[in-house]
Amino acid sequence: MESKIKKIGVLTSGGDAPGMNAAIRAVVRAARARGIEVVGVRRGYAGLIAGDIIPMYVRDVSNILQAGGTALFSARSKEFCTEEGMQKAIDVCQENGIEGLVVIGGDGSFRGAGDLSARGIPCVGVPATIDNDISSTDYTIGFDTCINCVVDMVDRIRDTMRSHERCSVVEVMGRHAGYVALHAGIATGATFVMVPEVPCSVVDVIKKIEEGRRFGKTNFIVLVAEGVGHAEELSRYIQDTTGIVTRATVLGHVQRGGSPTSRDRVLASRFGNLAVELLAIGKSNRVVGVKNDALVDYDLHEALAMKREFPMDLYVMNDIISI
Ligand code: ATP
């Protein structure tokens, strides 16, 4: 079927996530395969306002599939949130003949895409954030790579904790969402997982450690999402209260980098291809996602308003089996 549009742009915005490059590659190639011209907008909305635009052909995205980060760079732009900034972005799209835009990023970036769509620049959002905190999709690009990185790091830490019979508190990313801590916690057998979605106190952590001790446990991993507590403080408290030597590790940005897992590469490829399909049939103001492994797309504003229940069953299960 002939595409309804002739030229699209693609940008990455907000925090980078492994797999963004795989999505860019998919967008460029899926578009070119349909005879749609593609340009890359560098540095997110800031680059759009500045007209930082480069043509992208199929070979321009060679060898980026396996690379972390984003070849188009990412940025945050306050100016874009102003009326003047938004108008500049629209002018740049019009001057460059950009008839549709694929926005790869998180929910902040999608709000921007919604504003652009409402002003006549059709946009499709592709969810990419390591936090997995976008309700309209089961998984976001980057989440799987992130949790695998955390698992690898915690496994290494555990070797020392086991050898020296210590406790380790590991702080992971997640200011408002505990998916990284929860999934990595299950996968590493963490004694306790502290997430923003489940109220708990340090007393609960101590109780769990003491319970583990009664069952003969000699080493402990506590995973804490950065939004609920700090590893140093918590470590001190655990050591002072239980007498167990306790060490703190803040994993920081290692969690956001690295080569994407096959799962993230496949997801990103599917999302990128679907985003182009939607623009090609004249859709606008959509967000792509995956539900029960099937691709879905939603109205952008409906997607942003969706609420997802935190998987308490997984949290409770971890609590049961981590003694
Ligand atoms: P992540 O949370 O993973 O970092 P994100 O896309 O949510 O990703 P934000 O920094 O929230 O990251 O948003 C990226 C950019 O999107 C902002 O710098 C801004 O230019 C634009 N943006 C954010 N919120 C809005 C909004 N409400 N309206 C218009 N544009 C917005």
Side-chain angles (χ1 to χ4, degrees), residues 147-175:
I147 53 176
N148 277 292
C149 169
V150 174
V151 167
D152 184 41
M153 296 294 150
V154 174
D155 283 351
R156 287 163 192 259
I157 290 168
R158 186 193 267 271
D159 288 345
T160 297
M161 295 306 118
R162 198 176 57 235
S163 304
H164 290 268
E165 301 181 294
R166 288 179 182 167
C167 175
S168 187
V169 179
V170 183
E171 188 177 315
V172 300
M173 281 190 172
R175 267 195 207 106

Short mmCIF file of all heavy atoms in Angstrom, two decimals, residues 147-175:
data_model
loop_
_atom_site.label_atom_id
_atom_site.label_comp_id
_atom_site.label_asym_id
_atom_site.label_seq_id
_atom_site.Cartn_x
_atom_site.Cartn_y
_atom_site.Cartn_z
N ILE A 147 17.79 -4.81 33.76
CA ILE A 147 17.70 -5.78 34.86
C ILE A 147 18.77 -6.86 34.72
O ILE A 147 19.29 -7.34 35.72
CB ILE A 147 16.28 -6.40 35.04
CG1 ILE A 147 15.75 -6.99 33.75
CG2 ILE A 147 15.32 -5.39 35.61
CD1 ILE A 147 14.41 -7.69 33.92
N ASN A 148 19.13 -7.20 33.50
CA ASN A 148 20.21 -8.18 33.34
C ASN A 148 21.53 -7.63 33.83
O ASN A 148 22.35 -8.37 34.39
CB ASN A 148 20.30 -8.63 31.88
CG ASN A 148 19.29 -9.74 31.60
OD1 ASN A 148 19.42 -10.84 32.12
ND2 ASN A 148 18.25 -9.43 30.84
N CYS A 149 21.74 -6.34 33.64
CA CYS A 149 22.95 -5.70 34.16
C CYS A 149 22.95 -5.75 35.69
O CYS A 149 23.95 -6.12 36.31
CB CYS A 149 23.02 -4.26 33.66
SG CYS A 149 24.29 -3.30 34.48
N VAL A 150 21.81 -5.39 36.28
CA VAL A 150 21.72 -5.39 37.75
C VAL A 150 21.96 -6.81 38.29
O VAL A 150 22.69 -7.00 39.26
CB VAL A 150 20.35 -4.84 38.23
CG1 VAL A 150 20.20 -4.98 39.74
CG2 VAL A 150 20.18 -3.38 37.81
N VAL A 151 21.37 -7.79 37.62
CA VAL A 151 21.53 -9.18 38.06
C VAL A 151 23.02 -9.57 38.03
O VAL A 151 23.55 -10.15 38.98
CB VAL A 151 20.69 -10.13 37.18
CG1 VAL A 151 21.08 -11.59 37.40
CG2 VAL A 151 19.20 -9.94 37.48
N ASP A 152 23.68 -9.20 36.96
CA ASP A 152 25.11 -9.52 36.83
C ASP A 152 25.91 -8.88 37.97
O ASP A 152 26.74 -9.53 38.62
CB ASP A 152 25.60 -9.03 35.46
CG ASP A 152 27.05 -9.40 35.22
OD1 ASP A 152 27.42 -10.54 35.57
OD2 ASP A 152 27.81 -8.55 34.72
N MET A 153 25.62 -7.61 38.24
CA MET A 153 26.35 -6.89 39.30
C MET A 153 26.07 -7.49 40.68
O MET A 153 26.98 -7.68 41.48
CB MET A 153 25.94 -5.41 39.32
CG MET A 153 26.29 -4.65 38.08
SD MET A 153 28.06 -4.53 37.88
CE MET A 153 28.20 -4.47 36.14
N VAL A 154 24.79 -7.78 40.94
CA VAL A 154 24.43 -8.29 42.27
C VAL A 154 25.01 -9.70 42.46
O VAL A 154 25.47 -10.04 43.55
CB VAL A 154 22.90 -8.26 42.49
CG1 VAL A 154 22.51 -8.95 43.80
CG2 VAL A 154 22.39 -6.82 42.47
N ASP A 155 25.02 -10.50 41.40
CA ASP A 155 25.63 -11.84 41.50
C ASP A 155 27.09 -11.72 41.94
O ASP A 155 27.59 -12.50 42.75
CB ASP A 155 25.58 -12.56 40.15
CG ASP A 155 24.20 -13.12 39.84
OD1 ASP A 155 23.33 -13.11 40.73
OD2 ASP A 155 23.99 -13.58 38.69
N ARG A 156 27.78 -10.73 41.38
CA ARG A 156 29.20 -10.53 41.74
C ARG A 156 29.33 -10.11 43.21
O ARG A 156 30.19 -10.59 43.94
CB ARG A 156 29.83 -9.46 40.85
CG ARG A 156 30.05 -9.92 39.44
CD ARG A 156 30.28 -8.74 38.51
NE ARG A 156 30.21 -9.20 37.14
CZ ARG A 156 31.28 -9.44 36.38
NH1 ARG A 156 32.48 -9.25 36.86
NH2 ARG A 156 31.14 -9.88 35.15
N ILE A 157 28.45 -9.20 43.60
CA ILE A 157 28.49 -8.72 44.99
C ILE A 157 28.20 -9.89 45.94
O ILE A 157 28.82 -10.05 46.98
CB ILE A 157 27.45 -7.58 45.19
CG1 ILE A 157 27.92 -6.33 44.44
CG2 ILE A 157 27.22 -7.28 46.67
CD1 ILE A 157 26.87 -5.24 44.31
N ARG A 158 27.28 -10.73 45.52
CA ARG A 158 26.86 -11.85 46.37
C ARG A 158 28.02 -12.81 46.67
O ARG A 158 28.10 -13.39 47.75
CB ARG A 158 25.71 -12.62 45.71
CG ARG A 158 25.13 -13.70 46.61
CD ARG A 158 24.24 -14.59 45.80
NE ARG A 158 22.86 -14.16 45.85
CZ ARG A 158 22.00 -14.57 46.79
NH1 ARG A 158 22.40 -15.34 47.76
NH2 ARG A 158 20.75 -14.20 46.74
N ASP A 159 28.93 -12.95 45.70
CA ASP A 159 30.09 -13.85 45.93
C ASP A 159 30.83 -13.44 47.20
O ASP A 159 31.17 -14.27 48.04
CB ASP A 159 31.05 -13.80 44.74
CG ASP A 159 30.49 -14.51 43.52
OD1 ASP A 159 29.50 -15.27 43.68
OD2 ASP A 159 31.01 -14.30 42.41
N THR A 160 31.07 -12.15 47.34
CA THR A 160 31.78 -11.66 48.53
C THR A 160 30.89 -11.76 49.77
O THR A 160 31.36 -12.14 50.85
CB THR A 160 32.23 -10.20 48.30
OG1 THR A 160 33.13 -10.20 47.21
CG2 THR A 160 32.90 -9.61 49.52
N MET A 161 29.61 -11.43 49.60
CA MET A 161 28.70 -11.49 50.76
C MET A 161 28.64 -12.92 51.31
O MET A 161 28.63 -13.13 52.52
CB MET A 161 27.29 -11.03 50.35
CG MET A 161 27.19 -9.59 49.94
SD MET A 161 27.84 -8.48 51.19
CE MET A 161 29.19 -7.71 50.31
N ARG A 162 28.64 -13.87 50.39
CA ARG A 162 28.55 -15.28 50.81
C ARG A 162 29.85 -15.70 51.50
O ARG A 162 29.84 -16.31 52.56
CB ARG A 162 28.27 -16.17 49.59
CG ARG A 162 27.75 -17.55 49.97
CD ARG A 162 27.39 -18.39 48.76
NE ARG A 162 28.52 -18.53 47.86
CZ ARG A 162 28.52 -18.22 46.57
NH1 ARG A 162 27.43 -17.73 46.02
NH2 ARG A 162 29.58 -18.38 45.82
N SER A 163 30.97 -15.31 50.89
CA SER A 163 32.29 -15.71 51.42
C SER A 163 32.53 -15.12 52.80
O SER A 163 33.17 -15.73 53.64
CB SER A 163 33.39 -15.27 50.47
OG SER A 163 33.16 -15.78 49.18
N HIS A 164 32.06 -13.90 53.01
CA HIS A 164 32.33 -13.21 54.29
C HIS A 164 31.12 -13.14 55.21
O HIS A 164 31.17 -12.48 56.25
CB HIS A 164 32.86 -11.80 54.02
CG HIS A 164 34.23 -11.79 53.45
ND1 HIS A 164 35.36 -11.70 54.22
CD2 HIS A 164 34.66 -11.89 52.17
CE1 HIS A 164 36.43 -11.74 53.45
NE2 HIS A 164 36.03 -11.85 52.18
N GLU A 165 30.03 -13.77 54.78
CA GLU A 165 28.80 -13.82 55.60
C GLU A 165 28.33 -12.42 56.00
O GLU A 165 28.18 -12.10 57.17
CB GLU A 165 29.01 -14.73 56.82
CG GLU A 165 29.38 -16.14 56.39
CD GLU A 165 29.58 -17.08 57.54
OE1 GLU A 165 30.53 -16.88 58.31
OE2 GLU A 165 28.78 -18.02 57.67
N ARG A 166 28.15 -11.63 54.97
CA ARG A 166 27.77 -10.23 55.19
C ARG A 166 26.39 -9.93 54.58
O ARG A 166 25.80 -10.78 53.93
CB ARG A 166 28.77 -9.31 54.48
CG ARG A 166 30.10 -9.25 55.13
CD ARG A 166 30.99 -8.33 54.31
NE ARG A 166 32.33 -8.27 54.87
CZ ARG A 166 33.36 -7.76 54.23
NH1 ARG A 166 33.23 -7.27 53.01
NH2 ARG A 166 34.55 -7.72 54.80
N CYS A 167 26.03 -8.68 54.75
CA CYS A 167 24.81 -8.18 54.10
C CYS A 167 25.21 -7.08 53.12
O CYS A 167 26.16 -6.33 53.37
CB CYS A 167 23.86 -7.62 55.16
SG CYS A 167 22.39 -6.83 54.49
N SER A 168 24.51 -7.00 52.00
CA SER A 168 24.80 -5.95 51.04
C SER A 168 23.51 -5.22 50.67
O SER A 168 22.49 -5.87 50.38
CB SER A 168 25.42 -6.56 49.79
OG SER A 168 25.84 -5.53 48.95
N VAL A 169 23.57 -3.90 50.74
CA VAL A 169 22.43 -3.11 50.29
C VAL A 169 22.79 -2.51 48.94
O VAL A 169 23.80 -1.81 48.82
CB VAL A 169 22.09 -1.99 51.30
CG1 VAL A 169 20.90 -1.17 50.80
CG2 VAL A 169 21.79 -2.57 52.67
N VAL A 170 22.00 -2.81 47.93
CA VAL A 170 22.30 -2.34 46.58
C VAL A 170 21.19 -1.38 46.14
O VAL A 170 20.01 -1.76 46.11
CB VAL A 170 22.42 -3.52 45.58
CG1 VAL A 170 22.81 -3.01 44.20
CG2 VAL A 170 23.45 -4.54 46.08
N GLU A 171 21.60 -0.16 45.82
CA GLU A 171 20.62 0.85 45.37
C GLU A 171 20.56 0.82 43.84
O GLU A 171 21.58 0.93 43.16
CB GLU A 171 21.08 2.22 45.86
CG GLU A 171 20.08 3.34 45.63
CD GLU A 171 20.59 4.65 46.23
OE1 GLU A 171 21.10 4.66 47.37
OE2 GLU A 171 20.50 5.67 45.51
N VAL A 172 19.35 0.65 43.33
CA VAL A 172 19.17 0.58 41.87
C VAL A 172 18.28 1.73 41.40
O VAL A 172 17.64 2.41 42.19
CB VAL A 172 18.56 -0.79 41.44
CG1 VAL A 172 19.47 -1.93 41.85
CG2 VAL A 172 17.16 -0.98 42.02
N MET A 173 18.23 1.90 40.08
CA MET A 173 17.44 3.02 39.54
C MET A 173 15.95 2.79 39.76
O MET A 173 15.50 1.65 39.89
CB MET A 173 17.76 3.22 38.08
CG MET A 173 19.08 3.96 37.90
SD MET A 173 19.37 4.47 36.23
CE MET A 173 20.83 5.49 36.47
N GLY A 174 15.20 3.86 39.76
CA GLY A 174 13.76 3.80 39.94
C GLY A 174 13.30 4.82 40.96
O GLY A 174 13.14 4.51 42.13
N ARG A 175 13.15 6.09 40.50
CA ARG A 175 12.70 7.14 41.43
C ARG A 175 11.25 6.97 41.79
O ARG A 175 10.85 7.14 42.93
CB ARG A 175 12.91 8.51 40.78
CG ARG A 175 14.22 9.06 41.17
CD ARG A 175 14.41 10.52 40.90
NE ARG A 175 15.83 10.70 40.72
CZ ARG A 175 16.42 10.92 39.58
NH1 ARG A 175 15.72 11.08 38.48
NH2 ARG A 175 17.73 11.02 39.49
#
